[in-house]
Amino acid sequence: MASMVYPVEALSIAGLVLSPCVSGAAYFGLHHRTRRRAELSARPGFLTDQLTGLPNKQALSEWMEKNLSLSSQHAGRTALCIIDLDRFKAINDDKGHLAGDEILRVLGRRLRHSVDSKRGEFIAHAGSDKFFAFCFLSNHRSVPDFLTRLRRTFDKPVRLRGESVTVGANFGVAFWAHGAPGRDTLVMRAELAMNCARNSEQQNICYYDPAMDKALRHNLNIVDELRHAVARGQLSICYQAQKRVKDKTIVGFEALLRWEHPMLGAVSPTAFIPAAEKNGLIQEIGEWVLRSACHTASQWEEPYRISVNVSAEQFHHHDLPGLVRDVLQTTGLAPARLELELTETAIFTDMARARTTLCELKEMGVSIAVDDYGTGHSSLGLIRDIVFDRIKLDKLFVQNALENETDKAIIRAVIFLGHSLQTSVLAEGVETEEQFAFLEGEGCDEIQGFLLSQPLPHEHLVASGKVRLRAV
């Protein structure tokens, strides 16, 4: 006799019937809910997400149950790609849930057109800012093509009330083959890969690898410890001098965040700052850096400027002008001595909001520098539309300039552009006398790098005489 598979609801009802402790009312209630669920399942809308028009979580569950078991008919492999929207919560908080819904509607429509159901591809909205996409594989080359089509969904900004909002995404990919662990394991592996992509600065697509289990535990530990780093006094600031080229006199300092953990040791900013941005910690940490740096600078006898980096999350999804105003009032630092450094990417993400925020900051008297210039999306358009007080040449150009004619040409062009717009140009990462001589010959205004000064704790700045404290 063939074995029979019973639905979960049927087994539950059988248990109730066989149990003498269950009342007729309980049985009737469960029977009613089961019948109601069956009725709803018959409706087309029951399996469709009303916001995006894509299959919903219930449809996703049913598709996986049915189709994963059939993957052996398609060379035995299925790829699952989990797509997680970047900065979606921040957009929701900043622009409201109606704006968030509109983004999901637009992206859902684009994603629906990016998959080919005739080839067995499937995509569903799993709730919030997450999408699940599947494709059957005949060979490994199918995956790049599939992912390319999915990624194109996010190339074009979404229009919201006349504004263009760029929404990024992280992609985590895992594979299922006949006889592999169940679908829960498949989803867990794709989630691990997606988290890897979310925490990476270099890539937004990651494939599951067993080593990710260990890496995930490490990253989770980093994030968990980082939540308490400010309160535990583990964060500190080092200050790197910025000097005028023509006489090598100090004109300012950049505040650089450092984290010394009692067990992990010195944690690289390239590791913990992206983790802070991705996990909602950058607001608290960024405010601490701004307050600490301004308080420190307010104690100096010399009116050096203090440059503080502002992340994209801080810039777009916080009342940055209000925070800056409060910090200046609290610390007593003159607005003209504070410079905020922003990357091109941070500004380009939402140009309309960027203009408003930058205007408010400049009205206070705060200066604005564009950091890592030349590595972003739209350098010339950015400089044309927004007036900056300083352009910071990315260190990659400086370090290769003596051997690379293209980098030399870029440096010359940026310096010429800056001077044409009456904007000062500062070169980062200057490490040799030869680099300094080249920049001096090209008319660069200011420099920063190990040649002139390493980042130093404040007490070392005072001890070395680079700064003097005001008499109280």
Side-chain angles (χ1 to χ4, degrees):
M1 181 175 174
S3 61
M4 298 182 67
V5 179
Y6 295 91
V8 174
E9 291 89 344
L11 293 174
S12 301
I13 294 173
L16 290 173
V17 171
L18 293 172
S19 172
C21 300
V22 178
S23 68
Y27 166 77
F28 177 80
L30 182 56
H31 177 69
H32 175 73
R33 288 195 297 274
T34 303
R35 187 178 65 184
R36 178 63 175 161
R37 179 183 177 83
E39 292 172 353
L40 288 173
S41 298
R43 298 181 184 177
F46 180 71
L47 299 177
T48 302
D49 176 57
Q50 298 303 307
L51 185 61
T52 63
L54 295 174
N56 60 16
K57 191 178 292 186
Q58 177 64 27
L60 169 65
S61 178
E62 294 184 8
W63 189 94
M64 291 178 69
E65 184 174 356
K66 175 183 177 182
N67 288 275
L68 288 184
S69 62
L70 299 176
S71 65
S72 58
Q73 300 176 16
H74 301 267
R77 286 171 68 81
T78 301
L80 163 61
C81 175
I82 294 182
I83 306 168
D84 175 72
L85 303 188
D86 204 14
R87 299 177 50 250
F88 182 73
K89 182 180 182 300
I91 292 173
N92 248 346
D93 293 343
D94 180 56
K95 298 184 178 298
H97 291 284
L98 291 178
D101 288 349
E102 178 61 18
I103 286 174
L104 291 174
R105 268 191 293 270
V106 172
L107 295 179
R109 183 169 62 249
R110 293 179 186 174
L111 286 168
R112 184 167 62 250
H113 293 310
S114 70
V115 299
D116 186 352
S117 59
K118 295 179 180 178
R119 297 166 61 180
E121 297 174 356
F122 176 82
I123 189 160
H125 180 220
S128 186
D129 59 347
K130 200 166 290 184
F131 298 85
F132 281 54
F134 289 87
C135 72
F136 293 117
L137 307 178
S138 56
N139 55 62
H140 224 55
R141 289 192 298 273
S142 301
V143 180
D145 169 68
F146 183 57
L147 294 175
T148 297
R149 283 184 279 123
L150 293 175
R151 289 182 69 181
R152 285 175 184 157
T153 297
F154 303 91
D155 289 345
K156 184 179 178 182
V158 177
R159 296 289 294 175
L160 292 175
R161 295 188 292 273
E163 298 180 17
S164 292
V165 178
T166 301
V167 183
N170 303 295
F171 301 79
V173 184
F175 298 96
W176 191 92
H178 185 66
R183 60 183 182 178
D184 290 343
T185 301
L186 173 65
V187 171
M188 180 196 71
R189 289 175 175 176
E191 288 271 9
L192 282 174
M194 185 271 294
N195 284 324
C196 175
R198 189 167 59 186
N199 291 315
S200 172
E201 285 190 289
Q202 286 76 36
Q203 56 187 340
N204 65 347
I205 294 179
C206 283
Y207 293 84
Y208 170 77
D209 184 277
M212 287 180 180
D213 296 300
K214 181 179 179 180
L216 175 66
R217 287 192 294 272
H218 175 73
N219 289 336
L220 290 176
N221 186 40
I222 288 286
V223 172
D224 187 56
E225 291 297 315
L226 190 55
R227 294 184 194 280
H228 310 289
V230 173
R232 293 171 179 170
Q234 297 171 359
L235 298 182
S236 62
I237 298 175
C238 286
Y239 298 85
Q240 187 171 36
Q242 299 170 329
K243 296 188 178 183
R244 191 181 294 114
V245 170
K246 64 180 181 181
D247 55 14
K248 292 189 179 181
T249 58
I250 295 175
V251 291
F253 291 88
E254 180 179 1
L256 299 169
L257 182 61
R258 298 291 184 262
W259 181 19
E260 186 70 31
H261 189 275
M263 300 298 293
L264 301 173
V267 185
S268 170
T270 59
F272 74 81
I273 290 180
E277 292 176 335
K278 297 286 186 179
N279 292 276
L281 304 176
I282 197 63
Q283 300 291 0
E284 178 188 0
I285 293 173
E287 179 175 342
W288 179 85
V289 172
L290 182 62
R291 289 189 183 279
S292 299
C294 289
H295 172 72
T296 297
S298 70
Q299 302 175 60
W300 298 339
E301 184 174 302
E302 300 88 352
Y304 297 137
R305 71 168 181 260
I306 183 71
S307 296
V308 180
N309 289 278
V310 176
S311 75
E313 295 298 316
Q314 289 174 275
F315 183 60
H316 287 292
H317 308 295
H318 189 77
D319 180 15
L320 184 61
L323 173 61
V324 170
R325 189 177 293 107
D326 179 69
V327 168
L328 293 175
Q329 291 175 349
T330 302
T331 62
L333 185 73
R337 292 183 57 196
L338 174 61
E339 180 171 87
L340 299 180
E341 295 189 11
L342 302 160
T343 64
E344 295 173 82
T345 304
I347 299 169
F348 184 71
T349 300
D350 188 344
M351 285 290 288
R353 181 177 175 84
R355 289 190 188 93
T356 301
T357 300
L358 291 174
C359 284
E360 289 186 56
L361 291 168
K362 290 181 73 66
E363 285 174 3
M364 293 182 212
V366 173
S367 60
I368 305 295
V370 57
D371 198 12
D372 299 337
Y373 187 73
T375 61
H377 306 85
S378 58
S379 304
L380 291 177
L382 190 69
I383 294 298
R384 178 198 63 198
D385 295 340
I386 298 175
V387 178
F388 292 97
D389 299 281
R390 204 167 325 282
I391 298 173
K392 296 192 73 174
L393 255 170
D394 188 78
K395 62 183 179 183
L396 293 177
F397 300 119
V398 173
Q399 291 171 350
N400 297 323
L402 299 182
E403 297 80 28
N404 189 306
E405 290 299 322
T406 300
D407 286 346
K408 280 185 181 179
I410 290 173
I411 290 173
R412 292 186 181 116
V414 172
I415 292 173
F416 176 79
L417 176 65
H419 291 174
S420 299
L421 299 172
Q422 288 78 52
T423 301
S424 177
V425 178
L426 182 151
E428 298 180 288
V430 181
E431 298 180 355
T432 68
E433 290 289 352
E434 291 77 14
Q435 291 170 350
F436 176 84
F438 168 70
L439 292 166
E440 183 179 33
E442 296 301 327
C444 186
D445 302 291
E446 299 174 1
I447 58 171
Q448 178 180 342
F450 285 177
L451 175 65
L452 301 178
S453 175
Q454 293 189 4
L456 297 171
H458 185 237
E459 56 270 24
H460 291 188
L461 286 184
V462 176
S464 65
K466 286 185 169 64
V467 298
R468 293 174 294 177
L469 299 181
R470 288 189 295 106
V472 179

